[in-house]
Amino acid sequence: MRVPSLPRMVGLSSLYGPSLSVKQLVVVGTTAYVVTDQYLHMVDVSNAHNLVVLSKYSFDSNSDCISVFVDTNNTAYLLTGTALLMVDVSDPAHPATMRYYDIPENDRFPTFVTVQNGTAYILVGYYMLIVDVGTTPTLLTELTLPNSAYCSTIALSGSSAYLGCSVGMVTVDISAPSAPSIAGVLRCSAGITSIGVYGTTAYLLADLLLVVDLDTGMLLDSRTFVPRYRGTVFPTADAVYVADRGLYIFEPYTAPIPLPTPAPTTPVPTPVPTPLPTPVPAPAPTTDAPSSGDGWTSVLDIVGCVAGGVVLGVLGTLLYQRCMQEKHAQMHQHPQIQAEMLVPEDAVAT
């Protein structure tokens, strides 16, 4: 499959059994382990165009197979209604039982198993069994789940176990397997039937596929599909596979690319408005003629000046004529005065 968002079927293998329904699918290397009602089927998937059923394993025909976990040491841990079987699958065509752990009579309604560091975590209704699966399988403890949570699936990541329950997802601290503790509950209106963990992202299968950030417990996304049975989810780097009487393939969750933070800019100073000068009110109009100090000459000033000049000219002419008439009269009355007046000053001095 080159493009997960545009899948095409490249192979098909038919599995047969009474009232067959697939309960779980695990792929390790080139072998697929498929849990059905009474069998564990091992299928060679090295050639997608030619799938080959290698074997089918059953321990007790009177007890249904429920769940399986396969570790890197080629051991399959097969959970049935009555026991946890440890099966050597180093040769998938010839599986062999190695040992088993009997589930107590009052706990014979198991729903899921997973294994980490030699410890098996088995869900049994409203509580979880923690079993040492070494040479002699031994029950370490039993943890009662909160709020009457009926759990049906587990996913392990580091020192935490994530349980899919009727109330949502329950997180259990398993840093000390013999003394586990409830770390939190993520509530969901629909029951969780399968959990797949990839990195710090959990994919929860309910009536839709929920995507949760395990670091924050926040819901990141959801994908819609039509579930028809208690399916299983298996996330990888390239795709998220959901098996539910059919195979759904979803693109893995990708965090949205944050928008770039704009570079800080130097704030532009707000211009300070320059106050306008206060206008000087214009003087009220007056009918009085302005004085000469006002810097302008009125029509009345000009008329007055002209009239005054004419009067002075006339008066001066009249006075001059009067003076001349008196001088002529004196010259007729006193001839010697006339002679003196007619003689130049330098001649009199001689």
Side-chain angles (χ1 to χ4, degrees):
M1 185 181 64
R2 297 181 179 179
V3 183
S5 59
L6 298 172
R8 60 189 181 92
M9 187 175 69
V10 295
L12 174 65
S13 176
S14 297
L15 302 177
Y16 299 96
S19 62
L20 175 67
S21 61
V22 174
K23 297 181 178 179
Q24 191 176 4
L25 167 67
V26 175
V27 179
V28 178
T30 60
T31 304
Y33 300 85
V34 185
V35 177
T36 62
D37 289 332
Q38 293 183 357
Y39 296 97
L40 172 63
H41 301 261
M42 280 146 280
V43 183
D44 182 356
V45 294
S46 59
N47 184 352
H49 299 279
N50 184 28
L51 302 180
V52 178
V53 178
L54 299 174
S55 63
K56 61 180 182 179
Y57 172 86
S58 177
F59 177 74
D60 182 358
S61 60
N62 295 320
S63 179
D64 286 350
C65 295
I66 296 170
S67 177
V68 69
F69 177 87
V70 182
D71 66 13
T72 56
N73 295 320
N74 297 315
T75 299
Y77 299 84
L78 178 62
L79 180 64
T80 71
T82 58
L84 175 64
L85 310 173
M86 281 134 271
V87 183
D88 181 2
V89 291
S90 55
D91 180 2
H94 301 90
T97 304
M98 297 189 295
R99 56 191 178 275
Y100 60 91
Y101 167 75
D102 271 328
I103 295 178
E105 288 284 343
N106 59 335
D107 296 333
R108 291 198 174 176
F109 297 97
T111 56
F112 197 88
V113 64
T114 189
V115 180
Q116 178 176 269
N117 299 328
T119 303
Y121 300 85
I122 305 171
L123 288 180
V124 183
Y126 301 101
Y127 47 94
M128 179 171 66
L129 305 178
I130 301 178
V131 178
D132 182 346
V133 291
T135 305
T136 304
T138 305
L139 177 66
L140 296 177
T141 189
E142 179 179 298
L143 176 67
T144 301
L145 302 176
N147 303 320
S148 299
Y150 185 91
C151 296
S152 58
T153 185
I154 309 175
L156 303 181
S157 180
S159 60
S160 296
Y162 302 96
L163 284 57
C165 306
S166 56
V167 298
M169 183 176 73
V170 176
T171 303
V172 180
D173 182 355
I174 56 171
S175 53
S178 59
S181 60
I182 304 298
V185 178
L186 176 65
R187 296 189 177 278
C188 178
S189 58
I192 306 299
T193 61
S194 179
I195 298 178
V197 175
Y198 188 83
T200 59
T201 303
Y203 296 85
L204 316 181
L205 188 60
D207 54 354
L208 68 165
L209 183 61
L210 305 176
V211 185
V212 175
D213 185 339
L214 294 177
D215 289 335
T216 63
M218 299 296 293
L219 179 66
L220 300 175
D221 197 3
S222 62
R223 314 289 177 88
T224 303
F225 76 109
V226 182
R228 289 176 288 181
Y229 191 68
R230 178 185 175 273
T232 184
V233 58
F234 187 78
T236 68
D238 300 320
V240 179
Y241 301 88
V242 177
D244 188 348
R245 288 196 177 180
L247 181 63
Y248 300 83
I249 303 177
F250 298 91
E251 292 181 344
Y253 173 78
T254 302
I257 300 175
L259 295 176
T261 303
T265 57
T266 303
V268 179
T270 303
V272 179
T274 303
L276 297 175
T278 304
V280 178
T286 178
T287 56
D288 297 336
S291 65
S292 60
D294 291 336
W296 62 285
T297 303
S298 67
V299 175
L300 294 180
D301 288 337
I302 297 172
V303 172
C305 290
V306 172
V310 171
V311 172
L312 291 175
V314 172
L315 291 176
T317 302
L318 292 176
L319 291 174
Y320 178 77
Q321 290 178 354
R322 178 66 180 236
C323 290
M324 292 302 294
Q325 290 175 357
E326 291 180 352
K327 286 184 177 182
H328 281 293
Q330 292 177 358
M331 289 177 64
H332 288 293
Q333 295 178 3
H334 306 281
Q336 69 277 11
I337 295 176
Q338 183 179 8
E340 291 176 359
M341 294 179 63
L342 297 176
V343 174
E345 293 183 0
D346 56 352
V348 173
T350 304

